[in-house]
Every structure is written in structure tokens, then in C-alpha cells.
Amino acid sequence: MLVRTVLLGLAVMIGASACSPIEPWVKPYERENIADPIMSFNRDPVSQSYLDHVYEVREASRGATGSSGGGCGCN
Amino acid sequence: MPRVALVLAGIAPLLAAPFAGATVLPEERADLMYHRYDGGDVTVDGPSVLVRKNIGDKVSVSANYYTDFVSSASIDVQTSASPYKETRNQYSLSTDVLNGKALYSLGYIRSSESDYKADTAFAGVSQSLFGDLTTISFGYRYGDNEIGRNVAGTLDPNFKEQMKTQGFSAGLSQILTRSMILSFNYEVVTDEGFLRSPYRSVRYLESATTQAVQSEVYPRTRTSNAGSLRGKYFLPWRAAAELGYRYYTDTWGVRGQTADLGYTHPKGKWTFEGSVRYYTQQRANFYQDLFPRRDFANFLSRDKELATYDNVTLSVGATYDFHIPRVAWIDKSSASIRYSFLTVKYDDFRDATKSFGKFGVLPDEPLAPGTEPLYKLDASVLQLFMSIWF
């Protein structure tokens, strides 16, 4: 259900953009803060994926982290 | 001693880091890490090496080597087996191809240890929209797992099981203001095949004061849904605050919620960071610490990872940027240390060593089954890594 809603939302957004191009409300020259490396969701992939893996092995929850962990599920 | 969590193995370091805005090739960099987990009488440590290089201006390739050296005498092992050592190796390769505003990814991962082999292939696409304010992404992966069982240190030739995994993911990253970005991720994972541990048992009451064990019995399918929302805000004094939430549900009845808060603060050549993470989980339908009798239900589990519990993780880290003189091909480099302290409190998993004893040796004064104290676990997680950009 949630997938369908997301896909529908994306379809509407893409469709709308085809009819009337959306003006970016944050211009490229206004993205200095956003482009700062400290704003990355995954600044050090090797580290983040390891920590996600530690959680994944200890917890039943999985997925949707944006970065899955790697490996061994040791008891 | 592997578990089905393996199926999500190691895709992340190979994927392009979700960078705010435009779809671009990921940075060319190499990382060398030492990692160590120490908690609950389990130590897991080893190296990880990740290298990412561009070929021309449209193609990026990435390779990752990761090893876990496991030394375990965990509470599951204490009540039913002998301490063991194990090595798991994982090799991964992936490529990203940039085509206009779209980035296509393709990759393969192989993980192997003495009693578990996993092959995973994955593909994904991400696309920038609306003047690069929005990035959408979709991914698919397929995993083929071969599960064996070691008996007295030797692989049992009569035990060979299979498990297949498929995962579908969708993501949306949105620049909201000059200083704020949001990211939504959704993922469905479905497993089919042998989903339990070949080693673990459940315990049940034989009489009011005595207990016995039998093998776990699991369903042969599991489908999970997880949705997460993350936000990051650039603070006026050049620092970043991050907030995240994830909701998880699956067909085994597990419900999980994760919330985390992080702060990143650069100062000169240093970058400091700290975070707190809270996780809470409701047990699987067929989990019980102590079953009332043998064959109590169609499915039986005493995997503490399927129990009801919550945990808190506190993390701190520091990165130092430096220049390596007389090496022209290295643009910049850094050294990092990160430490996390994890504490887990179980609501319905008891310390059965107080009744069973450890490694077959009964305690001096065994407690009655079901009256043992609830189990708690503290763990330290250390990461040391060097990174170079070229």
C-alpha cells in the first residue's frame, strides 16, 4: 500500500513537471551549505555500513537504512 | 555461526553515497578500516578495505574486502555448545554508470564462512529531478544462501539447506531549504527457505521444576517492510544536526522502531561527531523464552534477536584531515576513530546459564526454569580507519 502511494506520488510529480517545469526554489548557487561534506547522510560508507551491520545482527529489524551493513550474523 | 541477517550483506559501501542534490559519480577514495566488536562474550574484529575509482567521467568501479574474525562464547553457546572461532570473508564488486541525470548501479557480493555461503547480486537506478532538488532511487537485489552445519568442528555432509532472498527498495531525497535536506527510504525484503539457526534450541518445561530442549522450528518464509525518514540541518556555525526514524514490521509479528539523533562539528582540521540511538522491538509471534511443553506450537524460537527488548547506543568520533607531502596523486587524507557503547535490556529473554549452567557444568545453586534474571548485554564497538581521496 505504502509502495503504491509512493509510486503514485512520484508519478504525479513527474507528470506535473512535464506540463509546467518546476522552478527550483533553492538555486544551484544557494546550495553551499547543502554541498558541505558534513551534510552527507553517508560521509564514510565503510564506517556507516559496518555500524549498520552491527545493528542488523543484534536486531530483528532490517532494511530502509539507506545503507545496509555487511555480514556475519554471529550469535 | 551465521544467521539470516546475512542476506543484507554489504551492499552499502558499494552504493554511491546519497549526496545532497545532483546525481553525480561518487568520490574516488580508498578506506582501510580496523573494526572490533566486544560484548556478551563475543569478539568480532577484522579489516575492511574499500576502493572506488572512476574510469573516464561516466563510470565508477568499486571493490570491498571485509573480514570478521569471530571468537564466541555467547549466552546461546554457553547453554548448548562449546566456544568456537570462525572467519568470514566477504568480497564485493560494483559499478556505477552516469547517464545524464541518471546513475545506474550493478554489483555482486560473495560472503563465505565454514558453514554459510551467500551470493548476492544487486541493481539500482537513481535520477535527479526538478533542478536537482529531488533525487529518486530504486533498487533490487537477489541473494542465494547455502547453509551448512559444523559438528565437532567439521562440516556435516548430511546437512545442506538453501535460502533465497529478494529485496526491493525505493528512496527519495529532497532539498527543502538552503540548509535542510530530507531522505525517505522504503524497503521490502522477502526470504524463502531455511531461516533458523541450525544450532539453536528452544527450552520447555518437562515438569514444574525441570526443563529440556528441542530444535527450533521456523516458518520457511518471512517478508518485512521498513520505512525510514531522515533529516539533516546545517547549523549557522558550520555544524550539522541529524534526526532519523525507522518503523519496521514483518510477517513474523516483529515490530521495531529506531530513533537517532546526531551532531557533526568541524573545527580546523578536526571533525567531531556524536550520536545517540534508541531501538525498541516487540517479539515474534512464535518466540518464547520457555515453552510450557514439548512441541507447544507449530513454530518455536528462542532467538534473543526475536525477543522483546530495547537498546541504546552512544557514539562519539573524531576525524583528522591531513596532507601527505610529496604524493601528488593524493588530494587529501584523513584518519578517524569512532567508538560506540551499546546496552541491551531484554524483557523476555532470561539468563538460562543460571539453571542450565555453562558448557554442561551446572551452577552450584541452579535456579528453577523461568525464574532466572532477565539477560542484559553491554558491548563496545571500535572503528579505526584511514581514508585517502585521489
Side-chain angles (χ1 to χ4, degrees), chain A residues 3 25 30-31 34 36 38 40 43-44 47 56-59 61-64 68-69 71-73 75, chain B residues 1 3 5 10 12 29 88 131 176 178 186-187 191 200 224 228 232 238 246 273 277 279 309 338 383:
Chain A
V3 174
W25 59 89
E30 295 175 324
R31 295 178 198 171
I34 294 289
D36 192 309
I38 63 170
S40 170
R43 191 158 55 95
D44 294 305
S47 166
E56 192 178 294
V57 170
R58 308 283 147 216
E59 299 167 355
S61 297
R62 57 184 184 179
S68 307
C72 159
N75 288 312
Chain B
M1 190 178 287
R3 192 168 67 85
R29 67 183 280 184
R88 185 180 76 86
L176 284 183
R178 291 180 184 196
Y186 181 76
E187 190 160 6
D191 304 326
R200 196 183 302 109
S224 64
S228 70
K232 201 150 190 177
R238 196 185 169 225
R246 177 179 67 165
E273 55 196 302
R277 177 184 184 273
Y279 174 75
Y309 62 89
R338 283 177 193 168
Q383 302 172 69

Side-chain angles (χ1 to χ4, degrees), chain B residues 22-266:
Chain B
T23 302
V24 294
L25 283 182
E27 292 177 312
E28 292 183 286
R29 67 183 280 184
D31 297 88
L32 172 63
M33 180 171 78
Y34 169 76
H35 57 85
R36 182 181 176 87
Y37 171 94
D38 193 348
D41 296 308
V42 177
T43 303
V44 185
D45 69 345
S48 179
V49 183
L50 174 64
V51 179
R52 188 177 264 291
K53 181 88 181 95
N54 290 355
I55 301 173
D57 56 0
K58 299 283 185 195
V59 178
S60 169
V61 292
S62 173
N64 180 220
Y65 165 70
Y66 177 97
T67 293
D68 280 326
F69 298 111
V70 182
S71 174
S72 177
S74 73
I75 184 154
D76 289 336
V77 173
Q78 289 173 19
T79 52
S80 63
S82 305
Y84 69 91
K85 291 183 186 298
E86 176 70 273
T87 301
R88 185 180 76 86
N89 290 306
Q90 179 176 295
Y91 305 88
S92 332
L93 273 175
S94 80
T95 183
D96 296 285
V97 178
L98 185 64
N99 181 20
K101 299 278 186 184
L103 188 69
Y104 302 95
S105 306
L106 199 63
Y108 175 75
I109 304 166
R110 161 155 282 202
S111 169
S112 63
E113 53 196 303
S114 66
D115 55 359
Y116 204 111
K117 291 188 173 35
D119 292 291
T120 304
F122 62 92
V125 59
S126 63
Q127 169 86 46
S128 293
L129 302 168
F130 313 134
D132 295 338
L133 285 184
T134 306
T135 304
I136 56 170
S137 58
F138 298 94
Y140 171 76
R141 69 166 171 273
Y142 178 81
D144 200 355
N145 300 264
E146 190 179 301
I147 301 126
R149 181 174 63 190
N150 287 324
V151 178
T154 308
L155 198 61
D156 179 357
N158 300 316
F159 184 93
K160 191 175 177 183
E161 294 283 353
Q162 302 282 329
M163 193 268 283
K164 297 187 188 308
T165 295
Q166 293 187 82
F168 305 87
S169 61
L172 174 74
S173 176
Q174 179 68 52
I175 295 174
L176 284 183
T177 69
R178 291 180 184 196
S179 299
M180 188 173 182
I181 183 164
L182 277 184
S183 169
F184 172 75
N185 283 283
Y186 181 76
E187 190 160 6
V188 182
V189 181
T190 183
D191 304 326
E192 187 176 0
F194 187 84
L195 301 180
R196 68 176 175 89
S197 160
Y199 304 101
R200 196 183 302 109
S201 301
V202 299
R203 58 179 187 151
Y204 62 90
L205 280 173
E206 271 187 320
S207 69
T209 54
T210 60
Q211 58 185 332
V213 296
Q214 69 175 111
S215 284
E216 288 188 322
V217 187
Y218 272 39
R220 288 188 65 82
T221 59
R222 179 190 190 185
T223 299
S224 64
N225 289 269
S228 70
L229 189 63
R230 303 198 69 74
K232 201 150 190 177
Y233 188 75
F234 189 91
L235 297 160
W237 54 90
R238 196 185 169 225
E242 184 171 352
L243 190 63
Y245 174 79
R246 177 179 67 165
Y247 184 78
Y248 170 89
T249 176
D250 69 24
T251 50
W252 289 0
V254 177
R255 303 280 180 272
Q257 295 186 78
T258 314
D260 64 271
L261 177 67
Y263 178 73
T264 309
H265 190 113

